[in-house]
Amino acid sequence: MKKSLLALVAALACAGAAHAQSTVQISGLVDVYAGSMRQSGSVGRTSTVGSGGMTTSWIGFSGKEDLGGGLKAEFMVNSFLRADVGNLGRYDGDPAFSRDAYVGLSGGFGALRLGRSKAPNFLPTILANPYGDSFTVSPLVLHANMASLPAWGFGNLTTPADTGWSNQVTYSTPSFGGLSANLHYQFGEQAGDSGKRNVGLNVMYFGGPLTLLGFYENVKVNNPVALTPLANTKTDWMLGGTYDFSVVKAYATYGQAEVDATNFEARTISLGLDVPVLGKAGTVKAAVARTKVEGPVNATRTTASVGYDHFLSKRTDLYSVVMHDKITSLKSGTSLVLGVRHRF
């Protein structure tokens, strides 16, 4: 009897392990560059060693557990990293895990996640330009996210509340023939005012050489440090796409941003090319973005980048980029960066 009970316990334990197999991994990316930087209107040129020339450096943990029946539990906690100075976060005061901090369930129904994760604007923006998520040399990303000369309207930005949202519920649909969507709702957590929240969605289609992308956001709460209500509701949207002709990959986007109860409005168009060379060991990248701002001050900003990215392996690449920046009536600026990026 004792042997039978022991055998039964062992069998149940093995069955439980089979249905509850889990994996946890550490991963990240370190990207450091040396550059000579000057944006339009800057008082002077800055020579610098910086972090995140092509991709913002980060480190984190993720894991999944098979719960059986096609259901899985998952988590992710990732921190941005400034590898040039050894500090966590994109800037002083950035939350420790501002890149990702969520737990969720996934299965045939899609995925449901709770916590801090990407905002609706992030994936369509980085997939629709040849420089991806570069906050240093991607014209589209710079125009959307990096403040430049607020007096000229570019301090308002066309991304209204960061590339990630806190206190968020995100639902991701399954893929239907290459078509999928993410629905986002961020709780503002304002006592007595449930209307102070952020909502948005993005839609993506991947069909062979063609990729189509779009997002919409309606934002009433700031991110990511102080979740305070905004004085005015901000909205933004973008449509974009890419097509891979094998010898060249083309990119294009168009988007708008508005601030309610004000006359601020911004329209951004961007174009890009990615040309494989040397047997696809490297790519020549070119991109341009033009944003026209109408508001307290009318102005136009045009930024163009040309560069080369060379892959030493699947995880390591070297890159060089020249970027030119011009804002109406201000002196133009030119920047040059040389960097290395390593994934682990």
Side-chain angles (χ1 to χ4, degrees):
M1 177 64 73
K2 182 181 292 187
K3 291 183 178 179
S4 298
L5 288 173
L6 290 174
L8 178 60
V9 170
L12 290 173
C14 290
H19 286 291
Q21 293 183 11
S22 61
T23 60
V24 176
Q25 66 179 35
I26 181 173
S27 56
L29 179 149
V30 179
D31 180 331
V32 180
Y33 67 90
S36 178
M37 315 299 291
R38 183 168 187 171
Q39 290 187 335
S40 180
S42 298
V43 294
R45 178 170 298 278
T46 302
S47 297
T48 184
V49 171
S51 180
M54 290 286 275
T55 302
T56 305
S57 300
W58 62 276
I59 185 171
F61 304 86
S62 62
K64 288 188 176 182
E65 181 184 15
D66 187 347
L67 301 175
L71 185 65
K72 293 182 179 180
E74 61 181 60
F75 82 92
M76 186 172 288
V77 285
N78 293 327
S79 175
F80 288 111
L81 172 69
R82 284 169 285 168
D84 56 326
V85 294
N87 289 346
L88 295 178
R90 294 165 291 181
Y91 47 83
D92 291 342
D94 197 21
F97 295 104
S98 58
R99 190 176 189 270
D100 295 288
Y102 66 79
V103 66
L105 295 172
S106 61
F109 62 90
L112 184 67
R113 300 182 177 97
L114 302 174
R116 180 172 173 84
S117 58
K118 301 173 183 64
N121 66 77
F122 184 71
L123 288 176
T125 300
I126 70 170
L127 293 174
N129 84 91
Y131 287 97
D133 55 346
S134 172
F135 283 70
T136 303
V137 296
S138 168
L140 179 61
V141 173
L142 286 173
H143 283 218
N145 300 286
M146 303 303 287
S148 176
L149 303 171
W152 285 81
F154 294 101
N156 289 284
L157 307 178
T158 57
T159 294
D162 201 12
T163 56
W165 287 358
S166 303
N167 302 332
Q168 183 176 196
V169 177
T170 306
Y171 169 67
S172 302
T173 71
S175 177
F176 301 99
L179 180 67
S180 61
N182 297 291
L183 307 178
H184 300 252
Y185 187 97
Q186 178 186 356
F187 291 82
E189 298 188 348
Q190 304 299 314
D193 193 352
S194 60
K196 291 296 184 181
R197 81 297 175 267
N198 294 343
V199 295
L201 79 160
N202 59 45
V203 180
M204 297 174 285
Y205 171 76
F206 302 96
L210 176 66
T211 298
L212 298 175
L213 308 152
F215 73 81
Y216 171 81
E217 297 177 333
N218 183 282
V219 172
K220 297 183 179 181
V221 178
N222 197 18
N223 274 279
V225 181
L227 303 181
T228 55
L230 297 172
N232 299 294
T233 300
K234 296 182 177 182
T235 59
D236 68 325
W237 61 268
M238 188 193 79
L239 297 175
T242 72
Y243 194 89
D244 192 343
F245 295 93
S246 295
V247 295
V248 60
K249 187 174 182 179
Y251 303 77
T253 71
Y254 176 78
Q256 293 187 10
E258 297 180 356
V259 180
D260 288 357
T262 73
N263 60 349
F264 175 83
E265 183 175 298
R267 300 181 181 91
T268 299
I269 185 171
S270 76
L271 299 171
L273 295 174
D274 210 338
V275 184
V277 295
L278 301 176
K280 296 187 177 182
T283 63
V284 175
K285 300 176 179 292
V288 60
R290 182 178 178 86
T291 298
K292 184 177 182 180
V293 170
E294 296 178 353
V297 178
N298 296 329
T300 299
R301 183 185 186 187
T302 303
T303 308
S305 294
V306 177
Y308 175 66
D309 189 13
H310 185 79
F311 286 88
L312 301 175
S313 69
K314 291 183 178 180
R315 297 192 299 167
T316 305
D317 57 312
L318 303 174
Y319 59 85
S320 62
V321 183
V322 176
M323 181 177 71
H324 184 75
D325 189 39
K326 180 70 171 82
I327 296 175
T328 302
S329 302
L330 297 180
K331 187 175 181 179
S332 63
T334 301
S335 300
L336 171 65
V337 303
L338 302 170
V340 58
R341 174 172 53 175
H342 177 76
R343 306 156 184 82
F344 60 90

